Amino acid sequence: MDVNKVVAEIVKKNGGELSGIYFVACGGSLVDMYVADYFMKAEVLKAGTGLYTANEFVQVVPKRLDEHSVVILCSHGGNTPESVAAGEVAQKRGAITIGLTHNKHAELLKVSDYSFLYEWGDGAKVLNNPMAIILDLTVSLVNATEGYSSYDKFREGMTIIDTVVDNAKKQVQDRIKVFADKYQEETMYYILGSGPSYGHAYGFSICSLMEMQWLDSTSVHSGEFFHGPFEVTDKDTMFILLMSQGRTRPLDERAKVFLDKYAEKVEVVDAKELGLDLIPDEVSEFFNPILFYSVLSEYRSALANNRNHDLDVRRYMGKVEY
């Protein structure tokens, strides 16, 4: 479906009233929603928000959820039981549901008032991936109901993000090979990030490293690094630091100064260096995770190739009862 059409229909149905937007999914699909929730918390005056792993949403339904709420659901395969159940719960409360999936036969579509079948895989534009669609839906809904002063700048960013990402992926080809050669034997990875990028620090840790490579990993917010986690720092500890473009960049810069002094195994992935500053300053921070997802996918592929560990192999997921 078309984002503008969906937004227009929802606004008409709700009489221009929006009590909240809730983001509900599991795993990597939940990660895709982090930046939209961050936008809501940073920029929105009236509507509420919440980011929920699906089963928690089912068990602890937010009291503010009502007929003027929008619940955005996402499941790549479209049949995640918890996400489908969350859609049922949302509809029973009268909320409008929007479902995103790559599967045109998905169960999720049955509990979605509006649905998006997104592109995926090699050749797919990031503009048509779930993270960008969810962000676009969110910003557009907010602009249509209470206004967003930087909406034109956001639209400008959406028109060039694919170019930025394509250029960045080309830019890192040499360094991902060096990274994989240097760090393929590591058994623990700490991923640092801030602002909207923290969502992908978490996502890279739980999906790319833990799920796809069976490696120990954790994410650490750059702002929390100095409140406990930095005590693990030494010359043998591996860090990946996501340097954001935008208001929280000083948090990442502070972490970099410390790591430059006390650590030796540090990989810095800098959104500014990779071209995100081409997007207007007013909105560039919201495009950080879209860039980081694509660039870090290059990193994980190089690591998987060196380790001879296919990204699609699983021990438990989809294989045993859980």
PDB file of all heavy atoms in Angstrom, residues 169-200:
ATOM      1  N   LYS A 169      28.108   1.662   1.408  1.00  0.00           N
ATOM      2  CA  LYS A 169      28.447   0.242   1.248  1.00  0.00           C
ATOM      3  C   LYS A 169      29.692   0.066   0.377  1.00  0.00           C
ATOM      4  O   LYS A 169      30.539  -0.787   0.658  1.00  0.00           O
ATOM      5  CB  LYS A 169      27.255  -0.508   0.651  1.00  0.00           C
ATOM      6  CG  LYS A 169      26.108  -0.689   1.644  1.00  0.00           C
ATOM      7  CD  LYS A 169      24.817  -1.107   0.975  1.00  0.00           C
ATOM      8  CE  LYS A 169      24.874  -2.476   0.371  1.00  0.00           C
ATOM      9  NZ  LYS A 169      23.561  -2.891  -0.189  1.00  0.00           N
ATOM     10  N   LYS A 170      29.814   0.870  -0.652  1.00  0.00           N
ATOM     11  CA  LYS A 170      31.018   0.821  -1.493  1.00  0.00           C
ATOM     12  C   LYS A 170      32.235   1.285  -0.701  1.00  0.00           C
ATOM     13  O   LYS A 170      33.328   0.722  -0.823  1.00  0.00           O
ATOM     14  CB  LYS A 170      30.822   1.700  -2.725  1.00  0.00           C
ATOM     15  CG  LYS A 170      29.758   1.202  -3.690  1.00  0.00           C
ATOM     16  CD  LYS A 170      29.515   2.204  -4.812  1.00  0.00           C
ATOM     17  CE  LYS A 170      28.369   1.750  -5.716  1.00  0.00           C
ATOM     18  NZ  LYS A 170      28.038   2.775  -6.745  1.00  0.00           N
ATOM     19  N   GLN A 171      32.027   2.285   0.128  1.00  0.00           N
ATOM     20  CA  GLN A 171      33.124   2.881   0.885  1.00  0.00           C
ATOM     21  C   GLN A 171      33.741   1.921   1.892  1.00  0.00           C
ATOM     22  O   GLN A 171      34.933   2.016   2.199  1.00  0.00           O
ATOM     23  CB  GLN A 171      32.609   4.139   1.597  1.00  0.00           C
ATOM     24  CG  GLN A 171      33.691   5.002   2.241  1.00  0.00           C
ATOM     25  CD  GLN A 171      33.104   6.291   2.812  1.00  0.00           C
ATOM     26  OE1 GLN A 171      32.077   6.782   2.342  1.00  0.00           O
ATOM     27  NE2 GLN A 171      33.748   6.838   3.827  1.00  0.00           N
ATOM     28  N   VAL A 172      32.956   0.978   2.416  1.00  0.00           N
ATOM     29  CA  VAL A 172      33.464   0.113   3.486  1.00  0.00           C
ATOM     30  C   VAL A 172      33.998  -1.231   2.995  1.00  0.00           C
ATOM     31  O   VAL A 172      34.421  -2.050   3.817  1.00  0.00           O
ATOM     32  CB  VAL A 172      32.380  -0.142   4.564  1.00  0.00           C
ATOM     33  CG1 VAL A 172      31.933   1.158   5.197  1.00  0.00           C
ATOM     34  CG2 VAL A 172      31.194  -0.924   4.006  1.00  0.00           C
ATOM     35  N   GLN A 173      33.997  -1.473   1.699  1.00  0.00           N
ATOM     36  CA  GLN A 173      34.373  -2.812   1.213  1.00  0.00           C
ATOM     37  C   GLN A 173      35.777  -3.239   1.639  1.00  0.00           C
ATOM     38  O   GLN A 173      35.994  -4.398   2.012  1.00  0.00           O
ATOM     39  CB  GLN A 173      34.216  -2.881  -0.303  1.00  0.00           C
ATOM     40  CG  GLN A 173      32.775  -2.886  -0.784  1.00  0.00           C
ATOM     41  CD  GLN A 173      31.919  -3.917  -0.070  1.00  0.00           C
ATOM     42  OE1 GLN A 173      32.208  -5.113  -0.095  1.00  0.00           O
ATOM     43  NE2 GLN A 173      30.846  -3.464   0.568  1.00  0.00           N
ATOM     44  N   ASP A 174      36.724  -2.331   1.604  1.00  0.00           N
ATOM     45  CA  ASP A 174      38.083  -2.702   2.020  1.00  0.00           C
ATOM     46  C   ASP A 174      38.159  -2.929   3.525  1.00  0.00           C
ATOM     47  O   ASP A 174      38.797  -3.873   3.997  1.00  0.00           O
ATOM     48  CB  ASP A 174      39.083  -1.630   1.591  1.00  0.00           C
ATOM     49  CG  ASP A 174      39.311  -1.618   0.090  1.00  0.00           C
ATOM     50  OD1 ASP A 174      39.047  -2.653  -0.554  1.00  0.00           O
ATOM     51  OD2 ASP A 174      39.740  -0.576  -0.445  1.00  0.00           O
ATOM     52  N   ARG A 175      37.504  -2.072   4.275  1.00  0.00           N
ATOM     53  CA  ARG A 175      37.637  -2.163   5.734  1.00  0.00           C
ATOM     54  C   ARG A 175      36.900  -3.373   6.319  1.00  0.00           C
ATOM     55  O   ARG A 175      37.305  -3.884   7.371  1.00  0.00           O
ATOM     56  CB  ARG A 175      37.194  -0.869   6.413  1.00  0.00           C
ATOM     57  CG  ARG A 175      35.720  -0.591   6.405  1.00  0.00           C
ATOM     58  CD  ARG A 175      35.377   0.732   7.072  1.00  0.00           C
ATOM     59  NE  ARG A 175      35.819   1.869   6.274  1.00  0.00           N
ATOM     60  CZ  ARG A 175      35.494   3.130   6.545  1.00  0.00           C
ATOM     61  NH1 ARG A 175      34.771   3.406   7.614  1.00  0.00           N
ATOM     62  NH2 ARG A 175      35.894   4.114   5.778  1.00  0.00           N
ATOM     63  N   ILE A 176      35.843  -3.845   5.668  1.00  0.00           N
ATOM     64  CA  ILE A 176      35.147  -5.019   6.220  1.00  0.00           C
ATOM     65  C   ILE A 176      36.012  -6.263   6.098  1.00  0.00           C
ATOM     66  O   ILE A 176      35.949  -7.162   6.949  1.00  0.00           O
ATOM     67  CB  ILE A 176      33.764  -5.245   5.560  1.00  0.00           C
ATOM     68  CG1 ILE A 176      33.892  -5.557   4.067  1.00  0.00           C
ATOM     69  CG2 ILE A 176      32.850  -4.068   5.814  1.00  0.00           C
ATOM     70  CD1 ILE A 176      32.572  -5.972   3.414  1.00  0.00           C
ATOM     71  N   LYS A 177      36.838  -6.324   5.069  1.00  0.00           N
ATOM     72  CA  LYS A 177      37.755  -7.456   4.909  1.00  0.00           C
ATOM     73  C   LYS A 177      38.820  -7.425   5.996  1.00  0.00           C
ATOM     74  O   LYS A 177      39.159  -8.459   6.590  1.00  0.00           O
ATOM     75  CB  LYS A 177      38.388  -7.428   3.523  1.00  0.00           C
ATOM     76  CG  LYS A 177      37.379  -7.613   2.391  1.00  0.00           C
ATOM     77  CD  LYS A 177      38.021  -7.412   1.034  1.00  0.00           C
ATOM     78  CE  LYS A 177      36.989  -7.485  -0.085  1.00  0.00           C
ATOM     79  NZ  LYS A 177      37.568  -7.176  -1.412  1.00  0.00           N
ATOM     80  N   VAL A 178      39.337  -6.232   6.267  1.00  0.00           N
ATOM     81  CA  VAL A 178      40.320  -6.075   7.340  1.00  0.00           C
ATOM     82  C   VAL A 178      39.694  -6.445   8.684  1.00  0.00           C
ATOM     83  O   VAL A 178      40.304  -7.146   9.506  1.00  0.00           O
ATOM     84  CB  VAL A 178      40.856  -4.631   7.370  1.00  0.00           C
ATOM     85  CG1 VAL A 178      41.764  -4.418   8.583  1.00  0.00           C
ATOM     86  CG2 VAL A 178      41.592  -4.307   6.076  1.00  0.00           C
ATOM     87  N   PHE A 179      38.471  -5.978   8.903  1.00  0.00           N
ATOM     88  CA  PHE A 179      37.757  -6.266  10.149  1.00  0.00           C
ATOM     89  C   PHE A 179      37.589  -7.773  10.344  1.00  0.00           C
ATOM     90  O   PHE A 179      37.889  -8.314  11.420  1.00  0.00           O
ATOM     91  CB  PHE A 179      36.390  -5.584  10.124  1.00  0.00           C
ATOM     92  CG  PHE A 179      35.472  -6.013  11.228  1.00  0.00           C
ATOM     93  CD1 PHE A 179      35.533  -5.421  12.475  1.00  0.00           C
ATOM     94  CD2 PHE A 179      34.526  -7.022  11.019  1.00  0.00           C
ATOM     95  CE1 PHE A 179      34.680  -5.826  13.504  1.00  0.00           C
ATOM     96  CE2 PHE A 179      33.679  -7.434  12.031  1.00  0.00           C
ATOM     97  CZ  PHE A 179      33.762  -6.833  13.283  1.00  0.00           C
ATOM     98  N   ALA A 180      37.118  -8.451   9.311  1.00  0.00           N
ATOM     99  CA  ALA A 180      36.870  -9.889   9.424  1.00  0.00           C
ATOM    100  C   ALA A 180      38.163 -10.660   9.656  1.00  0.00           C
ATOM    101  O   ALA A 180      38.196 -11.599  10.471  1.00  0.00           O
ATOM    102  CB  ALA A 180      36.165 -10.395   8.172  1.00  0.00           C
ATOM    103  N   ASP A 181      39.222 -10.296   8.968  1.00  0.00           N
ATOM    104  CA  ASP A 181      40.513 -10.967   9.150  1.00  0.00           C
ATOM    105  C   ASP A 181      41.045 -10.760  10.568  1.00  0.00           C
ATOM    106  O   ASP A 181      41.614 -11.669  11.169  1.00  0.00           O
ATOM    107  CB  ASP A 181      41.536 -10.425   8.150  1.00  0.00           C
ATOM    108  CG  ASP A 181      41.267 -10.890   6.729  1.00  0.00           C
ATOM    109  OD1 ASP A 181      40.510 -11.864   6.558  1.00  0.00           O
ATOM    110  OD2 ASP A 181      41.801 -10.261   5.787  1.00  0.00           O
ATOM    111  N   LYS A 182      40.823  -9.560  11.091  1.00  0.00           N
ATOM    112  CA  LYS A 182      41.396  -9.184  12.376  1.00  0.00           C
ATOM    113  C   LYS A 182      40.613  -9.730  13.563  1.00  0.00           C
ATOM    114  O   LYS A 182      41.184 -10.102  14.592  1.00  0.00           O
ATOM    115  CB  LYS A 182      41.469  -7.660  12.459  1.00  0.00           C
ATOM    116  CG  LYS A 182      42.287  -7.107  13.612  1.00  0.00           C
ATOM    117  CD  LYS A 182      42.430  -5.594  13.473  1.00  0.00           C
ATOM    118  CE  LYS A 182      43.291  -5.012  14.579  1.00  0.00           C
ATOM    119  NZ  LYS A 182      43.433  -3.531  14.435  1.00  0.00           N
ATOM    120  N   TYR A 183      39.288  -9.821  13.421  1.00  0.00           N
ATOM    121  CA  TYR A 183      38.448 -10.109  14.583  1.00  0.00           C
ATOM    122  C   TYR A 183      37.623 -11.384  14.479  1.00  0.00           C
ATOM    123  O   TYR A 183      36.755 -11.633  15.317  1.00  0.00           O
ATOM    124  CB  TYR A 183      37.524  -8.919  14.855  1.00  0.00           C
ATOM    125  CG  TYR A 183      38.267  -7.641  15.161  1.00  0.00           C
ATOM    126  CD1 TYR A 183      38.118  -6.514  14.352  1.00  0.00           C
ATOM    127  CD2 TYR A 183      39.126  -7.554  16.252  1.00  0.00           C
ATOM    128  CE1 TYR A 183      38.790  -5.340  14.624  1.00  0.00           C
ATOM    129  CE2 TYR A 183      39.818  -6.385  16.537  1.00  0.00           C
ATOM    130  CZ  TYR A 183      39.651  -5.274  15.714  1.00  0.00           C
ATOM    131  OH  TYR A 183      40.323  -4.115  15.979  1.00  0.00           O
ATOM    132  N   GLN A 184      37.909 -12.232  13.498  1.00  0.00           N
ATOM    133  CA  GLN A 184      37.092 -13.433  13.321  1.00  0.00           C
ATOM    134  C   GLN A 184      37.218 -14.428  14.471  1.00  0.00           C
ATOM    135  O   GLN A 184      36.320 -15.260  14.670  1.00  0.00           O
ATOM    136  CB  GLN A 184      37.471 -14.126  12.014  1.00  0.00           C
ATOM    137  CG  GLN A 184      38.916 -14.598  11.961  1.00  0.00           C
ATOM    138  CD  GLN A 184      39.243 -15.235  10.626  1.00  0.00           C
ATOM    139  OE1 GLN A 184      38.504 -16.090  10.142  1.00  0.00           O
ATOM    140  NE2 GLN A 184      40.333 -14.813  10.015  1.00  0.00           N
ATOM    141  N   GLU A 185      38.284 -14.348  15.253  1.00  0.00           N
ATOM    142  CA  GLU A 185      38.473 -15.276  16.364  1.00  0.00           C
ATOM    143  C   GLU A 185      37.935 -14.748  17.684  1.00  0.00           C
ATOM    144  O   GLU A 185      37.984 -15.446  18.708  1.00  0.00           O
ATOM    145  CB  GLU A 185      39.971 -15.597  16.520  1.00  0.00           C
ATOM    146  CG  GLU A 185      40.623 -16.221  15.291  1.00  0.00           C
ATOM    147  CD  GLU A 185      40.020 -17.573  14.930  1.00  0.00           C
ATOM    148  OE1 GLU A 185      39.526 -18.265  15.847  1.00  0.00           O
ATOM    149  OE2 GLU A 185      40.033 -17.927  13.735  1.00  0.00           O
ATOM    150  N   GLU A 186      37.411 -13.531  17.682  1.00  0.00           N
ATOM    151  CA  GLU A 186      36.871 -12.975  18.926  1.00  0.00           C
ATOM    152  C   GLU A 186      35.661 -13.790  19.390  1.00  0.00           C
ATOM    153  O   GLU A 186      34.882 -14.296  18.579  1.00  0.00           O
ATOM    154  CB  GLU A 186      36.452 -11.517  18.723  1.00  0.00           C
ATOM    155  CG  GLU A 186      37.581 -10.567  18.371  1.00  0.00           C
ATOM    156  CD  GLU A 186      38.619 -10.453  19.470  1.00  0.00           C
ATOM    157  OE1 GLU A 186      38.237 -10.461  20.665  1.00  0.00           O
ATOM    158  OE2 GLU A 186      39.817 -10.365  19.140  1.00  0.00           O
ATOM    159  N   THR A 187      35.506 -13.886  20.694  1.00  0.00           N
ATOM    160  CA  THR A 187      34.372 -14.635  21.244  1.00  0.00           C
ATOM    161  C   THR A 187      33.351 -13.731  21.926  1.00  0.00           C
ATOM    162  O   THR A 187      32.266 -14.190  22.284  1.00  0.00           O
ATOM    163  CB  THR A 187      34.864 -15.679  22.257  1.00  0.00           C
ATOM    164  OG1 THR A 187      35.609 -15.019  23.286  1.00  0.00           O
ATOM    165  CG2 THR A 187      35.739 -16.721  21.566  1.00  0.00           C
ATOM    166  N   MET A 188      33.695 -12.441  22.112  1.00  0.00           N
ATOM    167  CA  MET A 188      32.777 -11.503  22.759  1.00  0.00           C
ATOM    168  C   MET A 188      32.901 -10.140  22.094  1.00  0.00           C
ATOM    169  O   MET A 188      34.007  -9.637  21.889  1.00  0.00           O
ATOM    170  CB  MET A 188      33.090 -11.385  24.258  1.00  0.00           C
ATOM    171  CG  MET A 188      32.172 -10.439  24.999  1.00  0.00           C
ATOM    172  SD  MET A 188      30.465 -11.075  25.075  1.00  0.00           S
ATOM    173  CE  MET A 188      29.583  -9.652  25.674  1.00  0.00           C
ATOM    174  N   TYR A 189      31.753  -9.565  21.747  1.00  0.00           N
ATOM    175  CA  TYR A 189      31.720  -8.270  21.075  1.00  0.00           C
ATOM    176  C   TYR A 189      30.809  -7.319  21.858  1.00  0.00           C
ATOM    177  O   TYR A 189      29.668  -7.675  22.206  1.00  0.00           O
ATOM    178  CB  TYR A 189      31.158  -8.397  19.656  1.00  0.00           C
ATOM    179  CG  TYR A 189      31.972  -9.255  18.714  1.00  0.00           C
ATOM    180  CD1 TYR A 189      31.931 -10.650  18.820  1.00  0.00           C
ATOM    181  CD2 TYR A 189      32.757  -8.694  17.718  1.00  0.00           C
ATOM    182  CE1 TYR A 189      32.664 -11.451  17.950  1.00  0.00           C
ATOM    183  CE2 TYR A 189      33.487  -9.487  16.847  1.00  0.00           C
ATOM    184  CZ  TYR A 189      33.436 -10.859  16.970  1.00  0.00           C
ATOM    185  OH  TYR A 189      34.164 -11.645  16.107  1.00  0.00           O
ATOM    186  N   TYR A 190      31.299  -6.110  22.115  1.00  0.00           N
ATOM    187  CA  TYR A 190      30.485  -5.064  22.731  1.00  0.00           C
ATOM    188  C   TYR A 190      30.145  -4.034  21.652  1.00  0.00           C
ATOM    189  O   TYR A 190      31.035  -3.491  21.001  1.00  0.00           O
ATOM    190  CB  TYR A 190      31.243  -4.388  23.871  1.00  0.00           C
ATOM    191  CG  TYR A 190      31.448  -5.283  25.078  1.00  0.00           C
ATOM    192  CD1 TYR A 190      32.589  -6.078  25.182  1.00  0.00           C
ATOM    193  CD2 TYR A 190      30.497  -5.342  26.087  1.00  0.00           C
ATOM    194  CE1 TYR A 190      32.768  -6.922  26.282  1.00  0.00           C
ATOM    195  CE2 TYR A 190      30.670  -6.175  27.185  1.00  0.00           C
ATOM    196  CZ  TYR A 190      31.808  -6.959  27.275  1.00  0.00           C
ATOM    197  OH  TYR A 190      31.984  -7.794  28.354  1.00  0.00           O
ATOM    198  N   ILE A 191      28.844  -3.758  21.496  1.00  0.00           N
ATOM    199  CA  ILE A 191      28.391  -2.846  20.462  1.00  0.00           C
ATOM    200  C   ILE A 191      27.862  -1.582  21.132  1.00  0.00           C
ATOM    201  O   ILE A 191      26.905  -1.638  21.913  1.00  0.00           O
ATOM    202  CB  ILE A 191      27.279  -3.461  19.587  1.00  0.00           C
ATOM    203  CG1 ILE A 191      27.570  -4.938  19.297  1.00  0.00           C
ATOM    204  CG2 ILE A 191      27.096  -2.649  18.316  1.00  0.00           C
ATOM    205  CD1 ILE A 191      28.855  -5.207  18.540  1.00  0.00           C
ATOM    206  N   LEU A 192      28.464  -0.432  20.840  1.00  0.00           N
ATOM    207  CA  LEU A 192      28.085   0.832  21.456  1.00  0.00           C
ATOM    208  C   LEU A 192      27.343   1.723  20.464  1.00  0.00           C
ATOM    209  O   LEU A 192      27.710   1.798  19.289  1.00  0.00           O
ATOM    210  CB  LEU A 192      29.325   1.591  21.959  1.00  0.00           C
ATOM    211  CG  LEU A 192      29.856   1.247  23.354  1.00  0.00           C
ATOM    212  CD1 LEU A 192      30.370  -0.189  23.404  1.00  0.00           C
ATOM    213  CD2 LEU A 192      30.972   2.218  23.750  1.00  0.00           C
ATOM    214  N   GLY A 193      26.333   2.412  20.945  1.00  0.00           N
ATOM    215  CA  GLY A 193      25.612   3.371  20.118  1.00  0.00           C
ATOM    216  C   GLY A 193      24.713   4.227  20.982  1.00  0.00           C
ATOM    217  O   GLY A 193      24.480   3.931  22.160  1.00  0.00           O
ATOM    218  N   SER A 194      24.178   5.305  20.403  1.00  0.00           N
ATOM    219  CA  SER A 194      23.323   6.219  21.162  1.00  0.00           C
ATOM    220  C   SER A 194      22.167   6.699  20.302  1.00  0.00           C
ATOM    221  O   SER A 194      22.135   6.481  19.092  1.00  0.00           O
ATOM    222  CB  SER A 194      24.132   7.422  21.651  1.00  0.00           C
ATOM    223  OG  SER A 194      24.530   8.232  20.542  1.00  0.00           O
ATOM    224  N   GLY A 195      21.218   7.389  20.952  1.00  0.00           N
ATOM    225  CA  GLY A 195      20.091   7.951  20.224  1.00  0.00           C
ATOM    226  C   GLY A 195      19.352   6.888  19.440  1.00  0.00           C
ATOM    227  O   GLY A 195      19.208   5.744  19.888  1.00  0.00           O
ATOM    228  N   PRO A 196      18.879   7.223  18.242  1.00  0.00           N
ATOM    229  CA  PRO A 196      18.152   6.235  17.440  1.00  0.00           C
ATOM    230  C   PRO A 196      19.037   5.082  16.993  1.00  0.00           C
ATOM    231  O   PRO A 196      18.531   4.028  16.610  1.00  0.00           O
ATOM    232  CB  PRO A 196      17.643   7.048  16.249  1.00  0.00           C
ATOM    233  CG  PRO A 196      18.530   8.233  16.176  1.00  0.00           C
ATOM    234  CD  PRO A 196      18.927   8.539  17.585  1.00  0.00           C
ATOM    235  N   SER A 197      20.351   5.255  17.054  1.00  0.00           N
ATOM    236  CA  SER A 197      21.273   4.196  16.629  1.00  0.00           C
ATOM    237  C   SER A 197      21.421   3.099  17.681  1.00  0.00           C
ATOM    238  O   SER A 197      21.899   2.006  17.366  1.00  0.00           O
ATOM    239  CB  SER A 197      22.655   4.779  16.319  1.00  0.00           C
ATOM    240  OG  SER A 197      22.562   5.741  15.298  1.00  0.00           O
ATOM    241  N   TYR A 198      21.025   3.393  18.924  1.00  0.00           N
ATOM    242  CA  TYR A 198      21.161   2.352  19.938  1.00  0.00           C
ATOM    243  C   TYR A 198      20.320   1.128  19.574  1.00  0.00           C
ATOM    244  O   TYR A 198      20.705  -0.009  19.842  1.00  0.00           O
ATOM    245  CB  TYR A 198      20.778   2.852  21.334  1.00  0.00           C
ATOM    246  CG  TYR A 198      20.844   1.731  22.337  1.00  0.00           C
ATOM    247  CD1 TYR A 198      22.085   1.210  22.721  1.00  0.00           C
ATOM    248  CD2 TYR A 198      19.694   1.137  22.839  1.00  0.00           C
ATOM    249  CE1 TYR A 198      22.164   0.145  23.599  1.00  0.00           C
ATOM    250  CE2 TYR A 198      19.765   0.062  23.714  1.00  0.00           C
ATOM    251  CZ  TYR A 198      21.002  -0.432  24.089  1.00  0.00           C
ATOM    252  OH  TYR A 198      21.082  -1.499  24.941  1.00  0.00           O
ATOM    253  N   GLY A 199      19.192   1.365  18.925  1.00  0.00           N
ATOM    254  CA  GLY A 199      18.357   0.254  18.495  1.00  0.00           C
ATOM    255  C   GLY A 199      19.106  -0.702  17.600  1.00  0.00           C
ATOM    256  O   GLY A 199      18.924  -1.927  17.684  1.00  0.00           O
ATOM    257  N   HIS A 200      19.949  -0.159  16.727  1.00  0.00           N
ATOM    258  CA  HIS A 200      20.670  -1.084  15.858  1.00  0.00           C
ATOM    259  C   HIS A 200      21.926  -1.644  16.510  1.00  0.00           C
ATOM    260  O   HIS A 200      22.396  -2.711  16.113  1.00  0.00           O
ATOM    261  CB  HIS A 200      21.015  -0.472  14.502  1.00  0.00           C
ATOM    262  CG  HIS A 200      21.338  -1.546  13.506  1.00  0.00           C
ATOM    263  ND1 HIS A 200      20.410  -2.513  13.146  1.00  0.00           N
ATOM    264  CD2 HIS A 200      22.484  -1.888  12.880  1.00  0.00           C
ATOM    265  CE1 HIS A 200      20.971  -3.374  12.323  1.00  0.00           C
ATOM    266  NE2 HIS A 200      22.229  -3.026  12.153  1.00  0.00           N
TER     267      HIS A 200
END
